Amino acid sequence: MEEIRAITKKYDAEYIEREFNTLEGVNRFALTFYKDVSKIYDCLTRIRNIERNPQGFTMDDAPILGLLVRVSKLLKEVIRYYEEDNAEIIGVLERPLIEAAVTASYLITSPPEVMEDYRRCSYKDRLRLLRQLKEGSPFFETKAGQRLLASVREKLALENLTPEDFALQKKNRWRIQGKSFYDIFAEVEHADLYAATYGMMSESIHGSWNESMDWCLSRNDDGSFSAYPFHHGADIRYVAPTLSFTNRPFRLWLERIQAYDENLTAQLDWIERVNTALFMKFDGLYDG
């Protein structure tokens, strides 16, 4: 907690009031705040109840922790690109950030067998590599192929799994409980939020026509298109909706590992209050 207090101690009433007086101040405050939130998330991933977990976390918990570490790391990178005023990379990073946060919340609130299913679903392409080995792929005669093969076998051995242990996952088309991410998102968040958040962010990954029009092309007067090779500027306002997905799994995680006290409750409440205040302030200051 001392590490978190050191991060948040500058947020006194005088600092907040001063920065909230102008649009430039609010933008400056938001960038600092979201950067600090990523640091707080990093701290939360390193908290544990030493009575429950003297050393570390078992296979029943570790997958969730891995997702939360991913959220923390990706949020730090998102903020870095806001500092560099480069919006295009942000869309690529925010999609796996939301995916990790939503999946973590889903796993925490699901029965234990879902966790095992989640772990097994990650072996889809690794099992394909083993099949290619049996089929005589020349790739596995190379040093790179041998290293990859050793890694796959090591992970399977760690979980006492064989290639024959994945019948359910194959039947469900390698989806957790047979559900698409849309189904999981709708359960954890709300289906109506999907299209405007994760759905549109998918275009940054898959390179859709709309994505190209928004970021990579300029429209000429005659209706034709030309290349737009420059970066688009970033708008810090867009972090506020993203952050609405990330607090929940950290709350659920701290409850799960029996490390959720009133100080951490207050800290996560504070993040939500400030994030909401920023969203409302931006909404009032911007026209469109």
Side-chain angles (χ1 to χ4, degrees):
M1 277 302 299
E2 287 303 320
E3 191 174 350
I4 295 177
R5 290 193 189 97
I7 295 169
T8 59
K9 66 180 181 181
K10 61 178 170 290
Y11 291 93
D12 56 26
E14 181 182 352
Y15 169 61
I16 295 173
E17 183 178 357
R18 182 178 67 250
E19 293 293 76
F20 267 54
N21 277 333
T22 65
L23 180 58
E24 294 77 12
V26 175
N27 275 282
R28 186 168 53 244
F29 177 93
L31 183 60
T32 299
F33 169 71
Y34 291 128
K35 185 188 294 186
D36 286 339
V37 169
S38 71
K39 294 176 182 177
I40 292 170
Y41 285 167
D42 178 26
C43 293
L44 296 180
T45 63
R46 290 180 275 113
I47 288 176
R48 61 187 169 88
N49 180 337
I50 58 174
E51 293 183 2
R52 181 183 187 271
N53 300 98
Q55 295 294 325
F57 297 92
T58 68
M59 288 285 188
D60 295 327
D61 291 322
I64 299 166
L65 179 58
L67 289 168
L68 296 179
V69 171
R70 184 174 176 82
V71 169
S72 171
K73 288 181 176 180
L74 286 171
L75 184 58
K76 287 180 181 179
E77 288 302 302
V78 165
I79 301 306
R80 180 168 74 86
Y81 280 101
Y82 273 105
E83 289 182 296
E84 296 181 7
D85 203 28
N86 181 353
E88 290 165 74
I89 303 301
I90 292 170
V92 177
L93 296 170
E94 283 187 326
R95 182 178 185 262
L97 190 161
I98 291 177
E99 191 171 68
V102 170
T103 302
S105 294
Y106 178 72
L107 292 176
I108 295 172
T109 54
S110 296
E113 60 267 22
V114 177
M115 182 71 72
E116 183 177 359
D117 190 23
Y118 165 77
R119 296 200 313 266
R120 292 195 184 197
C121 282
S122 70
Y123 284 94
K124 175 185 177 182
D125 290 302
R126 288 165 176 81
L127 293 179
R128 181 175 292 150
L129 291 174
L130 294 179
R131 290 197 301 272
Q132 291 173 351
L133 171 66
K134 289 183 177 180
E135 293 166 0
S137 171
F139 171 65
F140 295 104
E141 297 177 7
T142 67
K143 291 182 178 179
Q146 289 294 315
R147 287 195 300 270
L148 183 57
L149 186 61
S151 173
V152 172
R153 286 171 168 166
E154 180 183 355
K155 288 177 179 176
L156 285 169
L158 180 66
E159 300 197 54
N160 294 316
L161 293 172
T162 71
E164 288 71 44
D165 293 331
F166 297 86
L168 177 62
Q169 287 68 43
K170 292 176 182 177
K171 178 183 176 182
N172 287 335
R173 300 172 58 197
W174 300 97
R175 292 176 169 182
I176 305 171
Q177 302 293 285
K179 298 176 182 179
S180 67
F181 183 70
Y182 174 84
D183 297 327
I184 292 172
F185 186 99
E187 284 188 33
V188 174
E189 298 294 341
H190 196 289
D192 291 346
L193 296 174
Y194 184 90
T197 55
Y198 185 85
M200 289 188 66
M201 289 173 186
S202 299
E203 295 182 357
S204 298
I205 304 294
H206 300 300
S208 76
W209 165 235
N210 268 279
E211 175 79 3
S212 292
M213 284 195 292
D214 288 342
W215 302 101
C216 302
L217 298 170
S218 60
R219 188 84 175 267
N220 300 317
D221 293 338
D222 64 355
S224 63
F225 294 89
S226 297
Y228 187 85
F230 311 105
H231 291 306
H232 288 265
D235 190 335
I236 195 66
R237 286 181 293 170
Y238 295 122
V239 180
T242 300
L243 211 68
S244 66
F245 297 105
T246 56
N247 250 27
R248 179 184 291 114
F250 281 97
R251 286 186 190 275
L252 294 171
W253 169 249
L254 293 170
E255 290 173 357
R256 180 186 180 92
I257 64 171
Q258 300 167 17
Y260 198 37
D261 60 23
E262 61 182 17
N263 292 319
L264 293 174
T265 302
Q267 191 64 64
L268 289 169
D269 288 346
W270 174 78
I271 290 174
E272 290 184 357
R273 287 198 307 272
V274 175
N275 189 49
T276 301
L278 280 171
F279 183 87
M280 300 301 294
K281 190 70 174 179
F282 279 131
D283 193 51
L285 289 172
Y286 279 89
D287 182 16

